[in-house]
Amino acid sequence: MTFVFSADGHFVEPSDLFSEGLPPSLRTFGLHAVKQDDFILSMAGDKVLQKTPIERGPPRLGPDGDPFGRPDRRGNREVEFRLQDMALDGVDAEIVFPSLGLTAYMIENAEAELATAQVYNDWLHGLLKDHTRSFVRCGILPVRDFRNTIAEMERLAALGFTSAMLPSLIERDSGIPQYTSEAWDPVFDAAQRLGIVFALHTGTGRNDVRSFRGAGGAVMNYMIQATDGMITIGAMVAGGLLDRFPGAKVCVIEGGASWLAALAERMDEVYDAHQSFVRPKLSLTPREIIARQVACSFQTDRAGIMSRSVTGTAALLWGADYPHHEGTFPRSRQVIAELFEGIDISEVDKAAIVGGNAARLFRLDRPEFAAG
């Protein structure tokens, strides 16, 4: 049987993790909720992230009729039931991301951001430290103070984490240095030294993941998040960040994969055509740097598979996005079976895309995926 590793899964944090888990002096600066009239406001400091009517429950979607996001499914919160859902779906292992914690990059107070990252990372470690054959723990990294970033990376590495999140997009008004800045050098040097793979989960760092309203909004809001990876990987390559730290690895999560080949070829084209204007000069072509250091997870991106002659097969990681409705649960077996139909691809490459690539990249705790 082919080993299946989902490069995108989520647990739902305890409802009071970020409110009660922070010191009282920091709680109003972190992630919290307040009631206002007939709404619950999800907040990061004094910034409103979402406004939810109290009386209106989530819509029911799909053939199973579950509420949107399947918030009540026990596999969201309990490891025993998660393993049952993985067996049902044909998934052997996965890397785990937060739910509410995806909004942590909206926190502007550096102390509250650090405390939020640490309380989540400690909770995730306690939940999964005895299940490392089935789960890769991905931590949240604070980014408002890079001294905090590096200290938390070192702490996570000591706990056995092999991956940690950075924002998939840095907004111009965020106050965080752009990925073209050399300010990131100590962070990427630490990743190279510690073997921490950076995960850029779609939507993280965006001021508003629902920026389109009205006609087309439901499709546009999800579609446009795929451009976050293109912008950010483009910045990391063009600005020289990945070139300066060739051992640093970056994976874009849930943003699709077919854009990576287009980005690599377009960057090569302009790097050569505008050579006299290009700063900094790179030691390799953009395409070569991308092939060496960048990967992408996707659910159903057949075009990404067909463009592997540009990106290389190792860049492609399949993911279920459990438990979300835009993901493949509980249809993952069917999706994987249909993923390669009509595509000229070897069984070795198929096995790498649906499991082996991610297991090796994130150093899953199984001997068959250990570095040779």
Side-chain angles (χ1 to χ4, degrees):
M1 293 290 290
T2 299
F3 183 86
V4 176
F5 184 112
S6 169
D8 183 19
H10 298 264
F11 268 95
V12 175
E13 308 90 333
S15 59
D16 63 351
L17 179 68
F18 298 116
S19 55
E20 299 302 315
L22 268 62
S25 62
L26 294 178
R27 289 174 187 170
T28 59
F29 299 103
L31 302 177
H32 61 283
V34 298
K35 182 179 178 182
Q36 184 181 88
D37 300 324
D38 296 326
F39 296 89
I40 297 294
L41 305 184
S42 300
M43 311 281 292
D46 59 3
K47 184 183 299 183
V48 177
L49 305 179
Q50 188 171 339
K51 186 176 180 180
T52 307
I54 294 173
E55 297 300 326
R56 191 179 74 194
R60 294 183 176 271
L61 300 177
D64 54 12
D66 277 346
F68 181 63
R70 301 185 176 95
D72 302 323
R73 195 166 190 92
R74 294 183 71 176
N76 272 331
R77 297 173 172 83
E78 301 175 57
V79 174
E80 175 188 354
F81 289 92
R82 178 58 154 267
L83 290 170
Q84 291 178 16
D85 279 353
M86 290 165 65
L88 170 69
D89 209 26
V91 172
D92 298 294
E94 64 181 357
I95 184 171
V96 172
F97 296 97
S99 294
L100 178 58
L102 292 175
T103 63
Y105 294 111
M106 295 294 99
I107 299 171
E108 296 180 349
N109 179 284
E111 287 184 76
E113 184 199 37
L114 173 61
T116 297
Q118 289 179 332
V119 75
Y120 172 80
N121 295 338
D122 288 344
W123 169 77
L124 185 66
H125 178 63
L127 185 72
L128 299 179
K129 61 182 172 63
D130 296 326
H131 303 277
T132 54
R133 284 178 53 83
S134 300
F135 299 102
V136 169
R137 295 155 291 167
C138 183
I140 296 175
L141 290 178
V143 293
R144 296 284 167 177
D145 183 331
F146 287 159
R147 293 169 298 183
N148 291 343
T149 312
I150 295 166
E152 188 62 9
M153 290 172 69
E154 291 173 340
R155 193 176 78 92
L156 290 177
L159 292 173
F161 283 59
T162 57
S163 183
M165 291 171 57
L166 293 178
S168 68
L169 183 71
I170 297 178
E171 300 272 22
R172 291 289 178 183
D173 62 353
S174 68
I176 302 168
Q178 295 293 311
Y179 285 120
T180 51
S181 171
E182 292 184 1
W184 283 98
D185 282 16
V187 175
F188 277 66
D189 179 59
Q192 183 173 261
R193 171 170 51 87
L194 297 169
I196 296 286
V197 178
F198 288 133
L200 313 175
H201 194 287
T202 182
T204 53
R206 272 191 168 270
N207 287 332
D208 187 357
V209 296
R210 296 180 177 89
S211 55
F212 287 90
R213 302 285 192 252
V219 175
M220 289 291 293
N221 286 323
Y222 189 70
M223 175 276 294
I224 200 169
Q225 290 178 29
T227 67
D228 295 355
M230 181 176 280
I231 292 167
T232 292
I233 296 303
M236 289 180 177
V237 173
L241 186 56
L242 294 183
D243 194 32
R244 291 193 295 275
F245 302 97
K249 305 289 186 180
V250 181
C251 184
V252 179
I253 304 297
E254 202 191 334
S258 51
W259 58 266
L260 189 61
L263 176 69
E265 294 203 326
R266 188 165 179 84
M267 291 189 75
D268 269 9
E269 177 185 0
V270 74
Y271 187 84
D272 182 59
H274 292 182
Q275 182 64 227
S276 60
F277 304 109
V278 170
R279 301 288 186 279
K281 303 298 184 187
L282 305 175
S283 66
L284 299 173
T285 66
R287 173 176 169 174
E288 290 170 330
I289 294 170
I290 287 171
R292 181 181 66 189
Q293 293 173 258
V294 179
C296 298
S297 82
F298 64 95
Q299 285 102 266
T300 56
D301 194 340
R302 287 166 45 82
I305 298 169
M306 288 185 274
S307 62
R308 67 193 184 282
S309 63
V310 177
T311 63
T313 300
L316 306 177
L317 319 177
W318 176 83
D321 191 26
Y322 175 98
H324 300 155
H325 274 87
E326 63 270 21
T328 60
F329 176 83
R331 306 172 293 105
S332 294
R333 282 192 178 90
Q334 176 187 345
V335 169
I336 290 173
E338 297 172 351
L339 198 57
F340 303 103
E341 286 185 357
I343 298 175
D344 184 14
I345 183 171
S346 69
E347 293 300 317
V348 171
D349 281 358
K350 288 181 185 179
I353 290 168
V354 301
N357 287 342
R360 285 184 284 271
L361 176 65
F362 297 117
R363 304 199 307 283
L364 181 68
D365 187 16
R366 295 193 183 214
E368 61 266 40
F369 299 113

